[in-house]
Amino acid sequence: MIKVLVCGAAGRMGREVIKAISQEEDMSLVSAVDVREIGKDAGELAGIGKTGILIEEDLLSAIKNTSPDVMVDFTQPSVVKGNMKIAMENGVVPVVGTTGLKYEDIEEIKDLAKKTGVGAFIAPNFSLGANLMMHIAKQVARFLQAVEIIELHHEKKLDAPSGTAIRTAQLLSEVIGDSQTPDSQPSRGDTRWGIRIHSVRLPGLVAHQEIIFGGQGETLTIRHDAPSRECYMPGVKTAIRKAVGLKEVIVGLDKILGL
Ligand code: NAD
């Protein structure tokens, strides 16, 4: 039985993860951490009824009291690296969906994995469709090198551009290089690896992305829509299973999907 701690347990993704874990026979929730809703039953918050696991605030004491194998983190960009350090220094492998980790942060985490012998699994996007979108875009980029990304998310999202858009730009730059955008006109979005990214934040949206390629007299658009959060759960559960005893740092669900 894989013992799972969920960090960010009262959040939108944390609650969905708690629900998903409860449906599996080989994993169980042992503790739930958040900085709000403290003392409330994590199962009740997730809509699955009482579990007896109450939300607590102190990650380190939750780890010491319940010895989880894996910590699933869906919190926020400003705290995720600190949470990962606490987990890894105490023998717990983080499975991280929280976005906003920078390249330097991931390098730091890789060093920590070498020091502690405890790995981590980081995925800017756990949905199968979004990972297929990135995979297909890499194939298109071999033929059409002019490309821009539009990502559209709900208005409460804290980071921009999204982790998925940044990861898409990184993967595309591996195919087309990073010399895409010489001009810097206003209202033309931000760039990552030289690729333009436009971020839309509106109520009514959940998570959506378009990758638009331009060629001579034609465009090709690849679009992914996640109208609810359940699409991330198969990927999260696969990552939890992969994380048990993991000693290295894996970035991207594509690495374990065989893409
Ligand atoms: P949310 O705001 O609903 O939930 C975040 C939760 O983290 C909140 O309950 C908050 O109180 C809690 N939190 C904040 N600081 C904390 C700390 N120090 N310790 C413990 N808990 C803390 O946000 P959300 O929509 O659930 O998204 C969470 C993160 O996941 C965001 O970064 C988002 O971009 C990312 N996300 C990733 C994927 C993916 O597939 N990788 C999918 C959706 C969202």
Side-chain angles (χ1 to χ4, degrees):
M1 184 63 84
I2 308 169
K3 293 160 74 178
V4 183
L5 177 154
V6 174
C7 198
R12 289 172 286 248
M13 287 297 287
R15 281 178 279 148
E16 198 71 40
V17 171
I18 288 171
K19 208 192 299 174
I21 291 172
S22 74
Q23 290 156 4
E24 299 302 306
E25 288 183 349
D26 61 338
M27 55 185 78
S28 73
L29 180 72
V30 294
S31 44
V33 175
D34 205 299
V35 291
R36 59 194 185 92
E37 307 283 14
I38 296 152
K40 296 213 175 129
D41 189 287
E44 279 191 332
L45 273 181
I48 55 167
K50 265 201 167 58
T51 55
I53 311 282
L54 305 184
I55 306 262
E56 50 192 310
E57 193 175 10
D58 187 338
L59 175 60
L60 183 58
S61 84
I63 288 176
K64 294 214 155 133
N65 292 336
T66 58
S67 310
D69 301 301
V70 174
M71 172 191 80
V72 177
D73 189 294
F74 281 99
T75 55
Q76 58 177 29
S78 62
V79 302
V80 57
K81 192 169 72 175
N83 292 345
M84 291 180 79
K85 283 184 173 168
I86 293 173
M88 292 167 77
E89 282 164 358
N90 289 279
V92 182
V93 181
V95 167
V96 174
T98 311
T99 47
L101 279 170
K102 298 191 185 73
Y103 177 80
E104 312 82 77
D105 298 327
I106 292 175
E107 291 302 303
E108 217 180 295
I109 293 298
K110 285 183 180 167
D111 286 344
L112 186 61
K114 277 188 203 134
K115 247 186 255 162
T116 57
V118 179
F121 193 104
I122 304 165
N125 200 310
F126 277 106
S127 100
L128 177 61
N131 280 280
L132 286 171
M133 164 184 68
M134 290 185 257
H135 178 69
I136 294 163
K138 276 183 80 171
Q139 315 309 312
V140 176
R142 291 166 51 211
F143 303 95
L144 296 170
Q145 280 89 36
V147 59
E148 301 204 2
I149 299 167
I150 305 175
E151 54 95 347
L152 311 91
H153 282 83
H154 59 89
E155 81 287 13
K156 295 202 173 66
K157 185 167 176 58
L158 294 178
D159 52 321
S162 71
T164 304
I166 294 171
R167 177 86 181 137
T168 306
Q170 184 182 13
L171 291 172
L172 289 174
S173 75
E174 288 170 11
V175 181
I176 60 182
D178 66 357
S179 56
Q180 281 279 296
T181 45
D183 62 332
S184 71
Q185 298 145 330
S187 300
R188 292 278 290 117
D190 203 348
T191 58
R192 292 292 187 283
W193 283 275
I195 293 172
R196 293 219 171 261
I197 305 176
H198 310 266
S199 298
V200 179
R201 295 290 175 269
L202 283 173
L205 295 168
V206 180
H208 317 263
Q209 179 168 291
E210 282 184 5
I211 305 170
I212 308 174
F213 292 90
Q216 198 174 340
E218 62 183 347
T219 61
L220 173 63
T221 302
I222 306 171
R223 181 174 170 114
H224 177 253
D225 293 285
S228 80
R229 294 177 175 83
E230 63 190 309
C231 66
Y232 304 113
M233 294 307 120
V236 171
K237 289 187 280 194
T238 303
I240 290 173
R241 293 185 179 107
K242 177 79 186 171
V244 179
L246 187 68
K247 295 196 178 348
E248 52 177 336
V249 177
I250 300 179
V251 182
L253 192 70
D254 52 312
K255 301 278 176 10
I256 57 170
L257 288 176
L259 293 178

